Amino acid sequence: MKIGALTLDQPVALAPMAGMTDTAFRRLVKRKGGCGLVVTEMVSSEGLVRGIDRTLEYAEYTEEERPVSIQIFGGDPAVMADAAQIVEGMGADVVDINMGCPVPKIAKHQAGCSLMREPSHAAEIVRAMASAVKIPVTVKMRAGWNEKEINAPLLAKMVEDAGAAAVAVHGRTAAQSYTGESDWSLIGRVAGSVAIPVFGSGDCVLPDQVVSRLRDTGARGVLVGRGALRNPWIFSQAATLAAGRTLTPDVALEDRGAFLLDYIDLLMRERVGESAGFRHTAPGVTAPEPARGRERWVINKVRALGAWYTKGLDGGAQLRVAINSTDSVGALRQLIHEFFGAPALVGG
Ligand SMILES: Cc1cc2nc3c(=O)[nH]c(=O)nc-3n(C[C@H](O)[C@H](O)[C@H](O)COP(=O)(O)O)c2cc1C
């Protein structure tokens, strides 16, 4: 599977998720195997161009995450082209454009999904970016703005003509947000309307769903979002199934706990500025925060992941409540250790 000149080992990628797919989470997902590409949280093109520290942090990544796609949002072709050059200068493998975000704060500024309502303008952004950088420019879109304006097949063709190297389609409209179901027959239609690879997105929560979408829909790749927040092993499990092998029994509870503890460790290290391997940042990033603020930040990140990660676990609801009432990283580690490491608590 190729995006421009870039070859992916696997056709399954970690979807961009604001607040969730930070560098720590992406690293851990990669370590579990089977993930062909990771995409960052969406990053503001204006923030990148102005060199705002917070924005630059969202775009940080480490070598072990490669290949890495940095997703940017914005509506001004010149600013998006400049931002793409910054992304390229940071060494990213792909620059992705967000044309799917339905949140009014983003979508009202000719950005995110509102670009789907202005296909010519959207294509102009792609053209400006593709002529500014050598790395592949890709587009992530939805089915359309609403049920009356479903235009992903047309927009995909237009951005292909403007120089996009691949597109990803989340088969819901902006109006649907996350209700209903992702329309994979529409994703198939998009795949049939362009020569570049199409990634389908939406509702692949189990590894066999990933495999059947790849087999049956015409999509050459699949993005996994919420399924990876619940089960970061979904990529390796899907690769196992796709290779015709049978899955080993479920991930052991201790391994699930270890994932959360590793996540905490990486987050803590991140913010104290200890070496996290070779990091790619633009100049001017990483002023360590005071310890207390850092701890609060880590707790909030674990709460955010915990909301997804605990779903479907025996005793998951109680664990969520407990995580949400924990106010130190030490107590959080202890709680995770007890829940996942002490089988007696399971089922409670
Ligand atoms: C918490 C959350 C944050 C998201 N943030 C982004 C984002 O920053 N950029 C983007 O293109 N899509 C974003 N999405 C959409 C996902 O990439 C994906 O297309 C969608 O969740 C459907 O796939 P899933 O059913 O596998 O989760 C987000 C989704 C979730 C749940």
Side-chain angles (χ1 to χ4, degrees), residues 15-20 40-42 71 96 98-101 140 142 170 172 178 201-205 223-227 229 308:
M17 285 179 284
M20 311 305 304
T40 63
E41 310 175 63
M42 63 178 172
Q71 185 186 68
D96 184 52
N98 182 317
M99 295 193 192
C101 184
K140 181 160 180 283
R142 282 187 174 240
H170 175 196
R172 289 184 175 85
Y178 290 91
S201 170
D203 309 332
C204 289
V205 180
L223 293 183
V224 182
R226 292 165 294 180
L229 302 178
W308 300 96

PDB file of all heavy atoms in Angstrom, residues 15-20 40-42 71 96 98-101 140 142 170 172 178 201-205 223-227 229 308, ligand 1:
ATOM      1  N   ALA A  15      -6.330   6.575  13.272  1.00  0.00           N
ATOM      2  CA  ALA A  15      -7.022   7.793  12.838  1.00  0.00           C
ATOM      3  C   ALA A  15      -6.611   8.988  13.706  1.00  0.00           C
ATOM      4  O   ALA A  15      -6.266   8.806  14.875  1.00  0.00           O
ATOM      5  CB  ALA A  15      -8.536   7.579  12.940  1.00  0.00           C
ATOM      6  N   PRO A  16      -6.657  10.191  13.144  1.00  0.00           N
ATOM      7  CA  PRO A  16      -6.392  11.358  13.974  1.00  0.00           C
ATOM      8  C   PRO A  16      -7.519  11.558  14.980  1.00  0.00           C
ATOM      9  O   PRO A  16      -8.688  11.474  14.617  1.00  0.00           O
ATOM     10  CB  PRO A  16      -6.376  12.516  12.957  1.00  0.00           C
ATOM     11  CG  PRO A  16      -7.215  12.042  11.816  1.00  0.00           C
ATOM     12  CD  PRO A  16      -7.032  10.550  11.771  1.00  0.00           C
ATOM     13  N   MET A  17      -7.174  11.801  16.230  1.00  0.00           N
ATOM     14  CA  MET A  17      -8.206  12.089  17.230  1.00  0.00           C
ATOM     15  C   MET A  17      -7.705  13.162  18.184  1.00  0.00           C
ATOM     16  O   MET A  17      -6.760  12.913  18.973  1.00  0.00           O
ATOM     17  CB  MET A  17      -8.592  10.812  17.995  1.00  0.00           C
ATOM     18  CG  MET A  17      -9.459   9.874  17.173  1.00  0.00           C
ATOM     19  SD  MET A  17      -9.896   8.365  18.055  1.00  0.00           S
ATOM     20  CE  MET A  17      -8.371   7.468  17.961  1.00  0.00           C
ATOM     21  N   ALA A  18      -8.330  14.332  18.094  1.00  0.00           N
ATOM     22  CA  ALA A  18      -7.944  15.452  18.937  1.00  0.00           C
ATOM     23  C   ALA A  18      -8.061  15.060  20.404  1.00  0.00           C
ATOM     24  O   ALA A  18      -9.043  14.442  20.818  1.00  0.00           O
ATOM     25  CB  ALA A  18      -8.837  16.656  18.637  1.00  0.00           C
ATOM     26  N   GLY A  19      -7.046  15.379  21.167  1.00  0.00           N
ATOM     27  CA  GLY A  19      -7.050  15.086  22.591  1.00  0.00           C
ATOM     28  C   GLY A  19      -6.616  13.668  22.920  1.00  0.00           C
ATOM     29  O   GLY A  19      -6.361  13.343  24.083  1.00  0.00           O
ATOM     30  N   MET A  20      -6.537  12.801  21.914  1.00  0.00           N
ATOM     31  CA  MET A  20      -6.282  11.389  22.190  1.00  0.00           C
ATOM     32  C   MET A  20      -5.000  10.857  21.546  1.00  0.00           C
ATOM     33  O   MET A  20      -4.211  10.187  22.201  1.00  0.00           O
ATOM     34  CB  MET A  20      -7.461  10.526  21.688  1.00  0.00           C
ATOM     35  CG  MET A  20      -8.835  10.982  22.090  1.00  0.00           C
ATOM     36  SD  MET A  20      -9.116  11.205  23.857  1.00  0.00           S
ATOM     37  CE  MET A  20      -8.685   9.618  24.498  1.00  0.00           C
ATOM     38  N   THR A  40      -1.374  12.460  13.639  1.00  0.00           N
ATOM     39  CA  THR A  40      -1.408  13.272  14.869  1.00  0.00           C
ATOM     40  C   THR A  40      -2.816  13.799  15.127  1.00  0.00           C
ATOM     41  O   THR A  40      -3.704  13.692  14.286  1.00  0.00           O
ATOM     42  CB  THR A  40      -0.479  14.497  14.738  1.00  0.00           C
ATOM     43  OG1 THR A  40      -0.985  15.328  13.674  1.00  0.00           O
ATOM     44  CG2 THR A  40       0.955  14.105  14.457  1.00  0.00           C
ATOM     45  N   GLU A  41      -2.982  14.430  16.261  1.00  0.00           N
ATOM     46  CA  GLU A  41      -4.172  15.225  16.497  1.00  0.00           C
ATOM     47  C   GLU A  41      -4.154  16.375  15.492  1.00  0.00           C
ATOM     48  O   GLU A  41      -3.095  16.731  14.972  1.00  0.00           O
ATOM     49  CB  GLU A  41      -4.121  15.832  17.906  1.00  0.00           C
ATOM     50  CG  GLU A  41      -3.813  14.815  18.987  1.00  0.00           C
ATOM     51  CD  GLU A  41      -3.649  15.482  20.351  1.00  0.00           C
ATOM     52  OE1 GLU A  41      -4.626  16.073  20.833  1.00  0.00           O
ATOM     53  OE2 GLU A  41      -2.557  15.414  20.923  1.00  0.00           O
ATOM     54  N   MET A  42      -5.303  16.961  15.221  1.00  0.00           N
ATOM     55  CA  MET A  42      -5.282  18.064  14.258  1.00  0.00           C
ATOM     56  C   MET A  42      -4.539  19.273  14.851  1.00  0.00           C
ATOM     57  O   MET A  42      -4.620  19.552  16.046  1.00  0.00           O
ATOM     58  CB  MET A  42      -6.702  18.450  13.851  1.00  0.00           C
ATOM     59  CG  MET A  42      -7.563  18.956  14.947  1.00  0.00           C
ATOM     60  SD  MET A  42      -9.169  19.421  14.273  1.00  0.00           S
ATOM     61  CE  MET A  42     -10.052  19.760  15.792  1.00  0.00           C
ATOM     62  N   GLN A  71      -1.652  16.072  10.779  1.00  0.00           N
ATOM     63  CA  GLN A  71      -2.878  16.650  10.220  1.00  0.00           C
ATOM     64  C   GLN A  71      -2.986  18.127  10.581  1.00  0.00           C
ATOM     65  O   GLN A  71      -2.850  18.489  11.748  1.00  0.00           O
ATOM     66  CB  GLN A  71      -4.130  15.926  10.742  1.00  0.00           C
ATOM     67  CG  GLN A  71      -5.390  16.457  10.045  1.00  0.00           C
ATOM     68  CD  GLN A  71      -6.683  15.907  10.598  1.00  0.00           C
ATOM     69  OE1 GLN A  71      -7.062  16.203  11.724  1.00  0.00           O
ATOM     70  NE2 GLN A  71      -7.371  15.111   9.807  1.00  0.00           N
ATOM     71  N   ASP A  96      -1.527  15.930   6.233  1.00  0.00           N
ATOM     72  CA  ASP A  96      -2.942  15.628   5.993  1.00  0.00           C
ATOM     73  C   ASP A  96      -3.780  16.878   6.271  1.00  0.00           C
ATOM     74  O   ASP A  96      -3.480  17.646   7.189  1.00  0.00           O
ATOM     75  CB  ASP A  96      -3.380  14.483   6.938  1.00  0.00           C
ATOM     76  CG  ASP A  96      -4.808  14.043   6.692  1.00  0.00           C
ATOM     77  OD1 ASP A  96      -5.146  13.745   5.525  1.00  0.00           O
ATOM     78  OD2 ASP A  96      -5.598  13.997   7.651  1.00  0.00           O
ATOM     79  N   ASN A  98      -7.416  18.465   7.339  1.00  0.00           N
ATOM     80  CA  ASN A  98      -8.687  18.143   7.979  1.00  0.00           C
ATOM     81  C   ASN A  98      -9.835  18.814   7.219  1.00  0.00           C
ATOM     82  O   ASN A  98      -9.955  20.035   7.226  1.00  0.00           O
ATOM     83  CB  ASN A  98      -8.660  18.623   9.439  1.00  0.00           C
ATOM     84  CG  ASN A  98      -9.932  18.266  10.184  1.00  0.00           C
ATOM     85  OD1 ASN A  98     -11.035  18.420   9.651  1.00  0.00           O
ATOM     86  ND2 ASN A  98      -9.804  17.795  11.406  1.00  0.00           N
ATOM     87  N   MET A  99     -10.651  17.999   6.564  1.00  0.00           N
ATOM     88  CA  MET A  99     -11.875  18.524   5.932  1.00  0.00           C
ATOM     89  C   MET A  99     -13.089  17.811   6.515  1.00  0.00           C
ATOM     90  O   MET A  99     -14.121  17.676   5.848  1.00  0.00           O
ATOM     91  CB  MET A  99     -11.822  18.334   4.409  1.00  0.00           C
ATOM     92  CG  MET A  99     -10.729  19.144   3.729  1.00  0.00           C
ATOM     93  SD  MET A  99     -10.927  19.200   1.940  1.00  0.00           S
ATOM     94  CE  MET A  99      -9.335  19.886   1.449  1.00  0.00           C
ATOM     95  N   GLY A 100     -12.931  17.347   7.757  1.00  0.00           N
ATOM     96  CA  GLY A 100     -14.024  16.576   8.331  1.00  0.00           C
ATOM     97  C   GLY A 100     -14.539  17.085   9.659  1.00  0.00           C
ATOM     98  O   GLY A 100     -15.607  16.667  10.114  1.00  0.00           O
ATOM     99  N   CYS A 101     -13.792  18.005  10.279  1.00  0.00           N
ATOM    100  CA  CYS A 101     -14.189  18.403  11.635  1.00  0.00           C
ATOM    101  C   CYS A 101     -15.485  19.221  11.592  1.00  0.00           C
ATOM    102  O   CYS A 101     -15.564  20.240  10.916  1.00  0.00           O
ATOM    103  CB  CYS A 101     -13.074  19.215  12.295  1.00  0.00           C
ATOM    104  SG  CYS A 101     -13.475  19.628  14.001  1.00  0.00           S
ATOM    105  N   LYS A 140      -8.511  14.319   4.628  1.00  0.00           N
ATOM    106  CA  LYS A 140      -9.498  13.519   5.357  1.00  0.00           C
ATOM    107  C   LYS A 140     -10.818  14.272   5.347  1.00  0.00           C
ATOM    108  O   LYS A 140     -10.875  15.430   5.773  1.00  0.00           O
ATOM    109  CB  LYS A 140      -9.043  13.230   6.783  1.00  0.00           C
ATOM    110  CG  LYS A 140     -10.053  12.376   7.546  1.00  0.00           C
ATOM    111  CD  LYS A 140      -9.415  11.692   8.729  1.00  0.00           C
ATOM    112  CE  LYS A 140     -10.405  10.849   9.497  1.00  0.00           C
ATOM    113  NZ  LYS A 140     -11.293  11.640  10.345  1.00  0.00           N
ATOM    114  N   ARG A 142     -15.418  13.953   5.346  1.00  0.00           N
ATOM    115  CA  ARG A 142     -16.608  13.168   5.718  1.00  0.00           C
ATOM    116  C   ARG A 142     -17.385  12.814   4.451  1.00  0.00           C
ATOM    117  O   ARG A 142     -16.940  13.112   3.340  1.00  0.00           O
ATOM    118  CB  ARG A 142     -17.473  13.969   6.689  1.00  0.00           C
ATOM    119  CG  ARG A 142     -16.917  13.953   8.104  1.00  0.00           C
ATOM    120  CD  ARG A 142     -17.869  14.599   9.074  1.00  0.00           C
ATOM    121  NE  ARG A 142     -17.381  14.450  10.438  1.00  0.00           N
ATOM    122  CZ  ARG A 142     -18.048  13.821  11.408  1.00  0.00           C
ATOM    123  NH1 ARG A 142     -19.250  13.312  11.186  1.00  0.00           N
ATOM    124  NH2 ARG A 142     -17.543  13.735  12.628  1.00  0.00           N
ATOM    125  N   HIS A 170     -14.522   9.483   6.304  1.00  0.00           N
ATOM    126  CA  HIS A 170     -15.375   9.031   7.407  1.00  0.00           C
ATOM    127  C   HIS A 170     -16.804   9.105   6.863  1.00  0.00           C
ATOM    128  O   HIS A 170     -17.272  10.203   6.532  1.00  0.00           O
ATOM    129  CB  HIS A 170     -15.157   9.947   8.627  1.00  0.00           C
ATOM    130  CG  HIS A 170     -16.077   9.650   9.772  1.00  0.00           C
ATOM    131  ND1 HIS A 170     -16.278  10.528  10.814  1.00  0.00           N
ATOM    132  CD2 HIS A 170     -16.837   8.558  10.056  1.00  0.00           C
ATOM    133  CE1 HIS A 170     -17.129   9.998  11.673  1.00  0.00           C
ATOM    134  NE2 HIS A 170     -17.476   8.808  11.246  1.00  0.00           N
ATOM    135  N   ARG A 172     -19.759   9.455   7.587  1.00  0.00           N
ATOM    136  CA  ARG A 172     -20.894  10.178   8.183  1.00  0.00           C
ATOM    137  C   ARG A 172     -20.835  11.617   7.688  1.00  0.00           C
ATOM    138  O   ARG A 172     -19.763  12.116   7.346  1.00  0.00           O
ATOM    139  CB  ARG A 172     -20.802  10.212   9.719  1.00  0.00           C
ATOM    140  CG  ARG A 172     -21.052   8.905  10.416  1.00  0.00           C
ATOM    141  CD  ARG A 172     -21.021   9.113  11.934  1.00  0.00           C
ATOM    142  NE  ARG A 172     -21.371   7.895  12.662  1.00  0.00           N
ATOM    143  CZ  ARG A 172     -20.507   6.928  12.965  1.00  0.00           C
ATOM    144  NH1 ARG A 172     -19.232   7.015  12.609  1.00  0.00           N
ATOM    145  NH2 ARG A 172     -20.912   5.860  13.638  1.00  0.00           N
ATOM    146  N   TYR A 178     -21.431  12.020  15.289  1.00  0.00           N
ATOM    147  CA  TYR A 178     -21.074  10.610  15.508  1.00  0.00           C
ATOM    148  C   TYR A 178     -22.308   9.729  15.639  1.00  0.00           C
ATOM    149  O   TYR A 178     -22.217   8.589  16.094  1.00  0.00           O
ATOM    150  CB  TYR A 178     -20.164  10.464  16.735  1.00  0.00           C
ATOM    151  CG  TYR A 178     -18.804  11.047  16.447  1.00  0.00           C
ATOM    152  CD1 TYR A 178     -18.525  12.371  16.740  1.00  0.00           C
ATOM    153  CD2 TYR A 178     -17.830  10.292  15.796  1.00  0.00           C
ATOM    154  CE1 TYR A 178     -17.304  12.939  16.414  1.00  0.00           C
ATOM    155  CE2 TYR A 178     -16.615  10.837  15.462  1.00  0.00           C
ATOM    156  CZ  TYR A 178     -16.353  12.151  15.768  1.00  0.00           C
ATOM    157  OH  TYR A 178     -15.146  12.703  15.428  1.00  0.00           O
ATOM    158  N   SER A 201     -13.125   5.112   6.960  1.00  0.00           N
ATOM    159  CA  SER A 201     -13.109   5.362   8.405  1.00  0.00           C
ATOM    160  C   SER A 201     -14.514   5.270   8.971  1.00  0.00           C
ATOM    161  O   SER A 201     -15.457   5.806   8.394  1.00  0.00           O
ATOM    162  CB  SER A 201     -12.519   6.769   8.650  1.00  0.00           C
ATOM    163  OG  SER A 201     -12.693   7.159   9.990  1.00  0.00           O
ATOM    164  N   GLY A 202     -14.597   4.600  10.108  1.00  0.00           N
ATOM    165  CA  GLY A 202     -15.853   4.596  10.830  1.00  0.00           C
ATOM    166  C   GLY A 202     -16.310   3.223  11.271  1.00  0.00           C
ATOM    167  O   GLY A 202     -16.541   2.326  10.457  1.00  0.00           O
ATOM    168  N   ASP A 203     -16.387   3.080  12.605  1.00  0.00           N
ATOM    169  CA  ASP A 203     -17.060   1.938  13.227  1.00  0.00           C
ATOM    170  C   ASP A 203     -16.319   0.608  13.112  1.00  0.00           C
ATOM    171  O   ASP A 203     -16.942  -0.447  13.237  1.00  0.00           O
ATOM    172  CB  ASP A 203     -18.489   1.778  12.675  1.00  0.00           C
ATOM    173  CG  ASP A 203     -19.274   3.082  12.742  1.00  0.00           C
ATOM    174  OD1 ASP A 203     -18.979   3.896  13.632  1.00  0.00           O
ATOM    175  OD2 ASP A 203     -20.163   3.285  11.896  1.00  0.00           O
ATOM    176  N   CYS A 204     -15.023   0.640  12.871  1.00  0.00           N
ATOM    177  CA  CYS A 204     -14.253  -0.608  12.945  1.00  0.00           C
ATOM    178  C   CYS A 204     -13.742  -0.747  14.371  1.00  0.00           C
ATOM    179  O   CYS A 204     -12.754  -0.121  14.762  1.00  0.00           O
ATOM    180  CB  CYS A 204     -13.082  -0.594  11.967  1.00  0.00           C
ATOM    181  SG  CYS A 204     -13.591  -0.721  10.268  1.00  0.00           S
ATOM    182  N   VAL A 205     -14.453  -1.514  15.145  1.00  0.00           N
ATOM    183  CA  VAL A 205     -14.139  -1.651  16.564  1.00  0.00           C
ATOM    184  C   VAL A 205     -13.521  -3.011  16.860  1.00  0.00           C
ATOM    185  O   VAL A 205     -12.787  -3.176  17.820  1.00  0.00           O
ATOM    186  CB  VAL A 205     -15.436  -1.474  17.403  1.00  0.00           C
ATOM    187  CG1 VAL A 205     -15.158  -1.601  18.877  1.00  0.00           C
ATOM    188  CG2 VAL A 205     -16.061  -0.119  17.115  1.00  0.00           C
ATOM    189  N   LEU A 223      -8.824   3.421   8.478  1.00  0.00           N
ATOM    190  CA  LEU A 223      -8.397   4.180   9.662  1.00  0.00           C
ATOM    191  C   LEU A 223      -9.174   3.646  10.846  1.00  0.00           C
ATOM    192  O   LEU A 223     -10.399   3.515  10.770  1.00  0.00           O
ATOM    193  CB  LEU A 223      -8.738   5.667   9.532  1.00  0.00           C
ATOM    194  CG  LEU A 223      -8.043   6.537   8.489  1.00  0.00           C
ATOM    195  CD1 LEU A 223      -8.534   7.981   8.636  1.00  0.00           C
ATOM    196  CD2 LEU A 223      -6.547   6.477   8.649  1.00  0.00           C
ATOM    197  N   VAL A 224      -8.484   3.386  11.932  1.00  0.00           N
ATOM    198  CA  VAL A 224      -9.180   2.960  13.148  1.00  0.00           C
ATOM    199  C   VAL A 224      -9.053   4.062  14.182  1.00  0.00           C
ATOM    200  O   VAL A 224      -7.940   4.500  14.502  1.00  0.00           O
ATOM    201  CB  VAL A 224      -8.597   1.644  13.715  1.00  0.00           C
ATOM    202  CG1 VAL A 224      -9.376   1.217  14.955  1.00  0.00           C
ATOM    203  CG2 VAL A 224      -8.618   0.549  12.667  1.00  0.00           C
ATOM    204  N   GLY A 225     -10.185   4.532  14.682  1.00  0.00           N
ATOM    205  CA  GLY A 225     -10.192   5.594  15.678  1.00  0.00           C
ATOM    206  C   GLY A 225     -10.557   5.061  17.049  1.00  0.00           C
ATOM    207  O   GLY A 225      -9.719   4.537  17.796  1.00  0.00           O
ATOM    208  N   ARG A 226     -11.860   5.137  17.361  1.00  0.00           N
ATOM    209  CA  ARG A 226     -12.300   4.784  18.712  1.00  0.00           C
ATOM    210  C   ARG A 226     -11.983   3.334  19.076  1.00  0.00           C
ATOM    211  O   ARG A 226     -11.739   3.031  20.245  1.00  0.00           O
ATOM    212  CB  ARG A 226     -13.800   5.085  18.842  1.00  0.00           C
ATOM    213  CG  ARG A 226     -14.077   6.570  18.796  1.00  0.00           C
ATOM    214  CD  ARG A 226     -15.526   6.875  18.572  1.00  0.00           C
ATOM    215  NE  ARG A 226     -15.972   6.452  17.255  1.00  0.00           N
ATOM    216  CZ  ARG A 226     -17.194   6.601  16.779  1.00  0.00           C
ATOM    217  NH1 ARG A 226     -18.113   7.180  17.541  1.00  0.00           N
ATOM    218  NH2 ARG A 226     -17.526   6.192  15.578  1.00  0.00           N
ATOM    219  N   GLY A 227     -11.961   2.473  18.068  1.00  0.00           N
ATOM    220  CA  GLY A 227     -11.616   1.068  18.326  1.00  0.00           C
ATOM    221  C   GLY A 227     -10.226   0.925  18.910  1.00  0.00           C
ATOM    222  O   GLY A 227      -9.962   0.029  19.719  1.00  0.00           O
ATOM    223  N   LEU A 229      -8.788   3.237  20.776  1.00  0.00           N
ATOM    224  CA  LEU A 229      -8.791   3.774  22.151  1.00  0.00           C
ATOM    225  C   LEU A 229      -9.288   2.706  23.123  1.00  0.00           C
ATOM    226  O   LEU A 229      -8.925   2.692  24.291  1.00  0.00           O
ATOM    227  CB  LEU A 229      -9.696   5.012  22.249  1.00  0.00           C
ATOM    228  CG  LEU A 229      -9.353   6.176  21.316  1.00  0.00           C
ATOM    229  CD1 LEU A 229     -10.370   7.313  21.498  1.00  0.00           C
ATOM    230  CD2 LEU A 229      -7.941   6.692  21.589  1.00  0.00           C
ATOM    231  N   TRP A 308     -12.636   5.712  27.251  1.00  0.00           N
ATOM    232  CA  TRP A 308     -12.803   4.746  26.157  1.00  0.00           C
ATOM    233  C   TRP A 308     -12.249   3.379  26.555  1.00  0.00           C
ATOM    234  O   TRP A 308     -12.838   2.332  26.285  1.00  0.00           O
ATOM    235  CB  TRP A 308     -12.043   5.218  24.912  1.00  0.00           C
ATOM    236  CG  TRP A 308     -12.492   6.540  24.402  1.00  0.00           C
ATOM    237  CD1 TRP A 308     -11.937   7.760  24.675  1.00  0.00           C
ATOM    238  CD2 TRP A 308     -13.597   6.810  23.532  1.00  0.00           C
ATOM    239  NE1 TRP A 308     -12.618   8.752  24.024  1.00  0.00           N
ATOM    240  CE2 TRP A 308     -13.630   8.199  23.312  1.00  0.00           C
ATOM    241  CE3 TRP A 308     -14.553   6.000  22.906  1.00  0.00           C
ATOM    242  CZ2 TRP A 308     -14.591   8.803  22.507  1.00  0.00           C
ATOM    243  CZ3 TRP A 308     -15.503   6.601  22.099  1.00  0.00           C
ATOM    244  CH2 TRP A 308     -15.515   7.991  21.909  1.00  0.00           C
TER     245      TRP A 308
HETATM  246  C1  LIG B   1     -12.267  12.003  20.293  1.00  0.00           C
HETATM  247  C2  LIG B   1     -12.190  12.107  18.797  1.00  0.00           C
HETATM  248  C3  LIG B   1     -11.398  13.091  18.218  1.00  0.00           C
HETATM  249  C4  LIG B   1     -11.308  13.194  16.812  1.00  0.00           C
HETATM  250  N1  LIG B   1     -10.491  14.131  16.274  1.00  0.00           N
HETATM  251  C5  LIG B   1     -10.297  14.160  14.927  1.00  0.00           C
HETATM  252  C6  LIG B   1      -9.345  15.038  14.347  1.00  0.00           C
HETATM  253  O1  LIG B   1      -8.625  15.785  15.042  1.00  0.00           O
HETATM  254  N2  LIG B   1      -9.210  15.031  12.992  1.00  0.00           N
HETATM  255  C7  LIG B   1      -9.970  14.212  12.186  1.00  0.00           C
HETATM  256  O2  LIG B   1      -9.816  14.236  10.968  1.00  0.00           O
HETATM  257  N3  LIG B   1     -10.879  13.356  12.714  1.00  0.00           N
HETATM  258  C8  LIG B   1     -11.030  13.308  14.053  1.00  0.00           C
HETATM  259  N4  LIG B   1     -11.900  12.394  14.600  1.00  0.00           N
HETATM  260  C9  LIG B   1     -12.610  11.462  13.707  1.00  0.00           C
HETATM  261  C10 LIG B   1     -11.850  10.140  13.594  1.00  0.00           C
HETATM  262  O3  LIG B   1     -10.602  10.308  12.952  1.00  0.00           O
HETATM  263  C11 LIG B   1     -12.667   9.073  12.821  1.00  0.00           C
HETATM  264  O4  LIG B   1     -12.812   9.477  11.481  1.00  0.00           O
HETATM  265  C12 LIG B   1     -14.048   8.827  13.437  1.00  0.00           C
HETATM  266  O5  LIG B   1     -13.966   8.722  14.832  1.00  0.00           O
HETATM  267  C13 LIG B   1     -14.709   7.572  12.883  1.00  0.00           C
HETATM  268  O6  LIG B   1     -13.886   6.457  13.059  1.00  0.00           O
HETATM  269  P1  LIG B   1     -14.039   5.408  14.314  1.00  0.00           P
HETATM  270  O7  LIG B   1     -15.435   4.896  14.294  1.00  0.00           O
HETATM  271  O8  LIG B   1     -12.987   4.370  13.983  1.00  0.00           O
HETATM  272  O9  LIG B   1     -13.739   6.177  15.553  1.00  0.00           O
HETATM  273  C14 LIG B   1     -12.031  12.308  15.981  1.00  0.00           C
HETATM  274  C15 LIG B   1     -12.842  11.328  16.574  1.00  0.00           C
HETATM  275  C16 LIG B   1     -12.913  11.213  17.949  1.00  0.00           C
HETATM  276  C17 LIG B   1     -13.771  10.130  18.547  1.00  0.00           C
END
